[in-house]
Amino acid sequence: MAQMTFEQYQPKSNWWKNLIAVIAVINLVLVLFNLTYIPLRDIYFKHIPSITIYDAVKSIEPHPVTQRYLNTVNTLESHLQNNGLQANSTTSLFVNLRQQSMDILTENPFLSANKFSTFATLNRRMEYHMDTLSAKDAITQFWSQDYFNQVGSKEALSFFDSKIRPLLEVNYYRVVDENGQFIDKFWLIDIGFVIFFTFELLVRSFLVSRQESNISWWDVILRNWYDGLFLLPKWQWLRVIPVAVKLHKSSYVNTERILAQVTYEPVVYIANRVSMFIIVRLINQTQDAIKSGDAARYLLQPKGYLKVGRVDNFDTITDRILELVVYKVLPEIQPDVEIFLQHSLKSALQESDFYQVLQNIPGIDLIPAEISEQLADYIAGTAYEILASSYADQHGRLLFENLTQSFRVALRKQLQDKKLQQELQPLISNLLEELKLNYIQRANQENPEATLNEAMKISHRH
């Protein structure tokens, strides 16, 4: 029974694979949102403030220092509307704000949220607005009755609400545990997905192992190792890998084109390098086998040599070559054989002593040409007919097989000659070296992208 891989195990309907893909995408979106929430919280707070309800998951609370400072400013705004700028209670609020401002500059409550740039922006804005190079002087001057009286309470508070308040509002404090680590409750959301995907993997692996007895339950899990990335408590962004696989298996997204374009350049480069490596290594190993004599030993003395099938490939190739010689080659070269035999027979007759005696007889000089032509035609035609009929006749075939067996034995024996091997080995090695050099040269001249495009066209065609 053919082995069934996990990919070949397909349900009758795609609805389950599609559902799994949807759940995986939802989980990945939540994971990415959780990972990017802290860096993007200021943007959410400004444009989508309702999303900051997620602060509870990240254990984010308003920073007590900046929050108390904002509450004091709110009290001042309300107090100015009710009591005016010159009231004694208003004076005490200005003093309180100046003291809290000094505490903020000294303690820098933005450190806990890693908002160094926000703190620096706050200082620069106050310095620029008050036209001074000292943040302390700027804040001291700003929170004073003289300044509010000079520019007007509405104008001063408008600057604070538009330029300073947003910087203070985005500051926060994160609760830590006894180990000093930030408390993150995302696991309460994620645990449901982890349990679901764990159960789904176990059930799927069990079903596949039941379908194929030669595949164990553990083997199926190992083949689907990427699903284990759903179980990692850290590096949760790696879940993009199993999610991509599940989308590829579903019918929602066609990832073939995306993968083809994303991997296009690397595949072109790697395929070109690998093909050159394989060809060069194959030729080098063949050259080593020829130089060391291993190729000759395996071919001529196949004892201990691993064979493919029960057929002797050397004998089969020899038989096939003889068959081609008899039925294909000889008919094509028969005219040349006749011309060669005519020339040989004519030369032999002219050099014989009998012809030297008769050469003075009138008309006798035409005899050798006539005899050689007729004899050559007869020998060539007869030789071909004998070989063809012998190869086709059962008894003749048996005799011919004995002849070919003797030929193979004699050929093997002659090829085992050390002197002959020493003569042939460098020739074959040089031939392979030429093949290697020419292949590498052509490979460098050819465009690997054109080869890949051709392969892709053939793949799409079929």
Side-chain angles (χ1 to χ4, degrees):
M1 181 180 294
Q3 183 176 349
M4 178 183 292
T5 63
F6 178 77
E7 286 72 13
Q8 292 172 322
Y9 177 75
Q10 301 288 350
K12 294 182 179 180
S13 175
N14 288 330
W15 71 269
W16 179 250
K17 290 186 296 182
N18 294 340
L19 177 62
I20 294 296
V22 170
I23 297 175
V25 169
I26 293 174
N27 179 240
L28 180 62
V29 170
L30 290 175
V31 166
L32 295 179
F33 175 76
N34 179 70
L35 294 175
T36 59
Y37 181 75
I38 296 298
L40 300 179
R41 183 181 179 275
D42 291 357
I43 298 176
Y44 295 145
F45 189 88
K46 180 179 180 180
H47 299 285
I48 319 176
S50 59
I51 292 183
T52 55
I53 192 176
Y54 197 75
D55 285 354
V57 176
K58 309 299 286 186
S59 298
I60 291 178
E61 300 176 356
H63 199 285
V65 175
T66 52
Q67 188 62 40
R68 182 165 61 92
Y69 187 77
L70 290 173
N71 291 337
T72 304
V73 174
N74 294 336
T75 301
L76 175 64
E77 291 180 349
S78 177
H79 197 78
L80 287 174
Q81 293 178 358
N82 297 327
N83 301 305
L85 183 62
Q86 303 301 326
N88 293 331
S89 56
T90 304
T91 302
S92 63
L93 286 175
F94 276 111
V95 172
N96 191 3
L97 284 172
R98 287 195 296 269
Q99 182 60 46
Q100 289 187 44
S101 299
M102 293 301 105
D103 293 340
I104 290 176
L105 293 177
T106 303
E107 299 176 6
N108 188 4
F110 294 87
L111 282 175
S112 60
N114 293 324
K115 292 185 174 295
F116 304 101
S117 60
T118 304
F119 181 68
T121 301
L122 186 150
N123 290 336
R124 286 197 301 271
R125 287 182 179 180
M126 288 298 298
E127 293 168 356
Y128 181 80
H129 183 71
M130 300 305 297
D131 194 19
T132 179
L133 299 178
S134 172
K136 292 182 179 181
D137 293 343
I139 291 177
T140 301
Q141 295 175 19
F142 182 81
W143 293 119
S144 65
Q145 290 171 305
D146 292 340
Y147 177 74
F148 270 62
N149 188 43
Q150 177 184 354
V151 301
S153 300
K154 184 177 181 181
E155 182 70 21
L157 291 175
S158 175
F159 163 76
F160 179 86
D161 290 338
S162 62
K163 300 298 183 181
I164 305 302
R165 182 184 290 274
L167 300 179
L168 295 169
E169 287 178 336
V170 296
N171 191 35
Y172 59 84
Y173 171 79
R174 291 191 68 184
V175 181
V176 298
D177 56 18
E178 60 275 10
N179 298 319
Q181 301 294 323
F182 292 124
I183 296 178
D184 193 335
K185 301 176 183 178
F186 178 71
W187 67 272
L188 294 174
I189 301 174
D190 192 50
I191 189 64
F193 292 97
V194 172
I195 294 175
F196 173 80
F197 286 115
T198 302
F199 180 75
E200 190 266 341
L201 174 61
L202 295 177
V203 171
R204 225 167 357 116
S205 303
F206 174 75
L207 293 176
V208 173
S209 62
R210 288 291 295 256
Q211 290 286 333
E212 291 295 326
S213 59
N214 58 338
I215 304 178
S216 68
W217 173 73
W218 179 243
D219 289 339
V220 180
I221 293 179
L222 291 178
R223 293 181 183 183
N224 296 270
W225 58 269
Y226 47 82
D227 281 335
L229 298 176
F230 282 113
L231 312 181
L232 293 179
K234 300 291 184 180
W235 306 311
Q236 295 172 331
W237 57 269
L238 288 175
R239 296 184 186 182
V240 68
I241 297 176
V243 170
V245 174
K246 294 184 183 302
L247 282 175
H248 179 68
K249 293 180 179 180
S250 71
S251 59
Y252 289 130
V253 180
N254 183 10
T255 58
E256 289 293 340
R257 181 175 179 83
I258 299 175
L259 292 174
Q261 299 305 319
V262 170
T263 61
Y264 182 81
E265 289 292 339
V267 166
V268 169
Y269 176 78
I270 293 175
N272 189 44
R273 306 294 292 185
V274 169
S275 63
M276 287 194 294
F277 172 80
I278 292 175
I279 293 297
V280 172
R281 183 164 186 176
L282 177 62
I283 293 177
N284 288 341
Q285 290 179 346
T286 305
Q287 287 177 317
D288 293 339
I290 292 173
K291 292 178 181 179
S292 63
D294 291 340
R297 285 195 296 271
Y298 291 151
L299 182 62
L300 304 174
Q301 299 174 358
K303 184 178 181 181
Y305 177 66
L306 297 177
K307 293 185 177 181
V308 179
R310 300 180 179 180
V311 179
D312 190 321
N313 294 314
F314 183 82
D315 294 345
T316 304
I317 293 173
T318 305
D319 289 340
R320 181 57 177 161
I321 291 175
L322 289 173
E323 183 179 349
L324 290 174
V325 169
V326 172
Y327 287 107
K328 301 295 183 181
V329 177
L330 286 180
E332 293 185 8
I333 66 172
Q334 184 175 352
D336 295 327
V337 172
E338 292 176 357
I339 295 173
F340 173 74
L341 289 176
Q342 289 175 9
H343 174 75
S344 300
L345 290 173
K346 183 177 180 180
S347 299
L349 287 173
Q350 289 177 350
E351 292 177 0
S352 66
D353 296 336
F354 179 73
Y355 176 74
Q356 296 297 329
V357 174
L358 298 178
Q359 64 179 344
N360 294 323
I361 301 175
I364 200 68
D365 55 335
L366 299 176
I367 295 177
E370 296 176 358
I371 294 176
S372 61
E373 291 177 2
Q374 295 177 2
L375 189 59
D377 293 341
Y378 177 77
I379 291 175
T382 305
Y384 172 71
E385 292 177 0
I386 291 174
L387 287 174
S389 60
S390 299
Y391 200 78
D393 180 67
Q394 183 175 1
H395 181 66
R397 179 64 180 269
L398 179 60
L399 296 175
F400 194 81
E401 288 179 354
N402 293 334
L403 176 61
T404 56
Q405 178 65 25
S406 300
F407 172 78
R408 286 194 296 267
V409 172
L411 180 61
R412 287 179 185 271
K413 182 179 179 180
Q414 293 301 320
L415 290 176
Q416 291 176 2
D417 182 66
K418 298 297 183 181
K419 184 177 180 180
L420 179 61
Q421 291 182 11
Q422 291 176 359
E423 181 182 353
L424 293 178
Q425 284 173 0
L427 295 176
I428 299 176
S429 179
N430 291 338
L431 180 62
L432 292 173
E433 185 69 20
E434 292 176 1
L435 176 64
K436 178 174 64 178
L437 295 176
N438 284 277
Y439 173 81
I440 296 299
Q441 185 177 8
R442 288 196 303 270
N444 291 330
Q445 294 174 352
E446 294 178 354
N447 184 5
E449 293 188 8
T451 304
L452 180 60
N453 291 334
E454 182 179 358
M456 294 176 64
K457 289 180 181 178
I458 295 174
S459 176
H460 293 319
R461 188 183 305 166
H462 296 282

